[in-house]
Amino acid sequence: MTSHFRERKGTVMTEDAGAGMKARLRADLLAAMKAGRKDEVRLLRALVAAIDNAGAPPAPARDPLAPPHGHAAGTAEVPRLALTGAQLQALLLAEIGEREQAAAGLARHGEAARAEALHEEVRLVRRYLPALSR
């Protein structure tokens, strides 16, 4: 897997595992779209969004009396946070846990087909975990 680096203010260059994983997810997303695998497309989009959300920097405190930002081209952009392999693994494990918990609840209520669909999503997410141990 290609290494992706992101400069963080005041620190040395650090590896951004999230950027590498998003590149892999987007390549797999394109393949799933071309093959018409709608459920996989939905899952891959959700995983990219989860990584994007995890990389969002916290909003700075704002003076309530300050004028609102004008949002001129590019002036509202801030660098994303670099995610470590451990943070990315925790994120994927959380996604798996949510789906397993939901599947168990659906199975208890006789929704076997919906529970199985979530189990399939878990299998798909698990295929990205070994990439983090390299």
Side-chain angles (χ1 to χ4, degrees), residues 37-99:
R37 297 187 305 261
K38 293 179 182 180
D39 291 338
E40 188 173 345
V41 166
R42 183 179 43 77
L43 172 67
L44 292 171
R45 285 181 173 153
L47 292 177
V48 169
I51 293 169
D52 279 341
N53 289 342
R62 188 177 164 301
D63 179 359
L65 300 177
H69 191 281
H71 297 290
T75 61
E77 294 298 318
V78 295
R80 307 292 289 179
L81 300 176
L83 298 179
T84 65
Q87 290 170 318
L88 189 55
Q89 183 172 14
L91 182 144
L92 292 175
L93 289 172
E95 292 290 325
I96 288 169
E98 288 175 15
R99 284 165 176 78

Side-chain angles (χ1 to χ4, degrees), residues 105-124:
L106 288 168
R108 279 193 305 274
H109 293 286
E111 298 284 343
R114 290 175 60 196
E116 181 52 36
L118 287 173
H119 286 301
E120 179 58 27
E121 287 186 11
V122 167
R123 285 188 285 276
L124 289 171

Side-chain angles (χ1 to χ4, degrees), residues 7-52:
E7 187 173 347
R8 295 182 76 179
K9 190 174 184 177
T11 63
V12 295
M13 298 291 280
T14 57
E15 186 168 351
D16 185 356
M21 182 60 72
K22 282 196 316 187
R24 180 175 173 199
L25 289 168
R26 286 187 175 123
D28 291 352
L29 175 61
L30 182 60
M33 290 170 71
K34 287 181 178 180
R37 297 187 305 261
K38 293 179 182 180
D39 291 338
E40 188 173 345
V41 166
R42 183 179 43 77
L43 172 67
L44 292 171
R45 285 181 173 153
L47 292 177
V48 169
I51 293 169
D52 279 341

